[in-house]
Amino acid sequence: MTQAQLADQAGISRTAVTAIEGNRLVPSVASALALAAVLKTSVEELFARSSAVQPTEVWAWKGGAETTRCWRADVSGRTVIYPASASPMLAMIASSVQPSPEYGATDEASETLVMACCDPAAGLLASLYAAVTGLRLIVLPRSSRQAIRMLQDGLVHLAGLHFSTRDEPDRNFDVIHETLGTGFQSIRLSRWQEGIVVRPEPRPRTVEGLLKTRLRWVGREAGSGARQCYDRLTQNGKAPRHLASDHRGVVEAVKAGWADAGICVQLASAEAGLDFLPLQEEAFDVCFRAGSIDDRRIKAFIKVVRSTAYREMIGELPGYDVRETGEIRVCQ
């Protein structure tokens, strides 16, 4: 029996089978039982040779046990639990944190795809994904660097990043290679405009003129694509005094009046009715493990991203360009 055949009959990914065989990943209870059933043996006998391999569930981050609601997803052969208090961009109703004894045999975790990114339009993708495939996509709001780290730690299936610009077209792939090494692929979701958001008040209407005035900046954390843009704009000048967790947080700070300017994507600015001065066009790519290409959730994700419905929906948003949407690249 090949790994692909075993994975298909057990209902898990081929990547998970490879990792479990190599003692690099821990199978979930459901995966361990499924593998044992296909191989006509017991879980104890199947995994007796490696004390390191035990069915397990892990929390995606500390503090999870304090909540009573959560989401679950099978990621790289183990079940990851996400606290519902995280307020993802979009997710279905959370499950109880204390599942019934037979919970591991249900399809909820195996039918959930998890993506970490900062795209303000990711909720639209999640809605379309659920409507078209019957599966669910949970989007966790994270900066590009944070998303990559979660993928590295086996806590998400997909990580979005937007470091590539016209001047550095391969920067996304350089970051993937530097952080994750080889064995990863990426799919282009869009290109978008990133720039300065300000309130519609009398002030200089050019970037050069704006930078000559005294501004209270709201920024993003180090490692984010927006912070990279800010550092380039200010030539690595003084770090912003206040930080926001995402693009919409930057916009809210400016709209509320406790900051004069910030860096965000054009969509977030347009939603709030604020002025926007474009600085650069960036490529937004989503990275995933190359071995997971056979996972039906990943296959469905790629199909949805390449669909006419998605391209038309995203192409209508301010600042988005979908001419390269759906292109896949192997990160070497």
Side-chain angles (χ1 to χ4, degrees):
M1 183 181 294
T2 66
Q3 288 183 336
Q5 291 171 330
L6 176 58
D8 182 64
Q9 293 186 40
I12 62 178
S13 70
R14 187 179 62 186
T15 304
V17 172
T18 302
I20 291 170
E21 284 188 350
N23 289 346
R24 291 182 287 104
L25 287 178
V26 180
S28 67
V29 173
S31 296
L33 291 171
L35 288 168
V38 172
L39 298 174
K40 296 181 172 58
T41 185
S42 66
V43 172
E44 292 77 8
E45 184 174 354
L46 184 59
F47 296 108
R49 294 184 180 181
S50 175
S51 59
V53 181
Q54 296 292 336
T56 187
E57 292 184 337
V58 297
W59 286 94
W61 51 81
K62 292 181 179 180
E66 298 173 1
T67 186
T68 58
R69 308 293 290 180
C70 66
W71 292 274
R72 280 178 167 81
D74 287 340
V75 185
S76 299
R78 63 180 182 178
T79 299
V80 182
I81 310 173
Y82 308 87
S85 57
S87 299
M89 293 181 183
L90 184 70
M92 303 301 178
I93 300 298
S95 304
S96 169
V97 77
Q98 296 295 335
S100 61
E102 65 274 14
Y103 184 90
T106 69
D107 293 329
E108 181 179 349
S110 64
E111 295 186 353
T112 298
L113 187 67
V114 184
M115 176 169 67
C117 74
C118 64
D119 181 11
L124 296 175
L125 173 57
S127 296
L128 183 63
Y129 181 82
V132 171
T133 69
L135 305 172
R136 71 175 180 178
L137 171 61
I138 295 177
V139 182
L140 302 174
R142 296 291 189 277
S143 70
S144 296
R145 290 283 184 182
Q146 290 172 337
I148 287 294
R149 284 195 293 270
M150 292 191 77
L151 179 62
Q152 182 181 38
D153 294 339
L155 298 177
V156 297
H157 304 94
L158 306 166
L161 67 165
H162 58 102
F163 294 116
S164 291
T165 64
R166 292 296 184 186
D167 295 333
E168 295 183 283
D170 293 326
R171 185 56 184 155
N172 282 349
F173 312 111
D174 292 341
V175 171
I176 292 171
H177 180 72
E178 293 164 2
T179 309
L180 304 175
T182 59
F184 292 85
Q185 295 184 17
S186 67
I187 183 169
R188 176 67 45 86
L189 262 63
S190 66
R191 285 186 174 273
W192 62 32
Q193 290 290 335
E194 189 154 48
I196 305 175
V197 58
V198 294
R199 291 188 301 279
E201 298 174 351
R203 64 174 71 245
R205 310 309 299 172
T206 65
V207 173
E208 294 77 9
L210 194 64
L211 292 178
K212 293 178 181 178
T213 63
R214 290 178 60 86
L215 296 173
R216 296 171 300 159
W217 285 89
V218 56
R220 296 285 306 285
E221 69 280 3
S224 65
R227 181 59 174 272
Q228 171 187 268
C229 183
Y230 172 85
D231 290 341
R232 183 180 292 113
L233 176 69
T234 60
Q235 299 181 347
N236 292 312
K238 185 177 180 181
R241 183 175 181 180
H242 301 289
L243 298 179
S245 60
D246 55 28
H247 294 282
R248 289 193 173 101
V250 170
V251 168
E252 288 301 317
V254 174
K255 187 174 182 179
W258 59 268
D260 300 314
I263 303 295
C264 70
V265 297
Q266 186 175 353
L267 173 61
S269 174
E271 288 175 337
L274 300 179
D275 287 350
F276 182 81
L277 283 70
L279 292 173
Q280 63 186 23
E281 184 182 64
E282 300 172 342
F284 177 55
D285 294 309
V286 169
C287 176
F288 55 91
R289 297 181 185 277
S292 66
I293 194 74
D294 293 324
D295 189 314
R296 68 191 186 99
R297 296 166 295 181
I298 300 292
K299 284 183 177 180
F301 180 84
I302 293 172
K303 184 176 182 180
V304 170
V305 169
R306 288 179 163 177
S307 69
T308 300
Y310 178 72
R311 293 169 66 93
E312 290 180 348
M313 179 176 65
I314 299 301
E316 295 174 352
L317 301 176
Y320 281 72
D321 184 334
V322 296
R323 284 174 290 183
E324 299 172 354
T325 296
E327 293 183 1
I328 292 182
R329 176 168 172 173
V330 177
C331 306
Q332 300 177 339

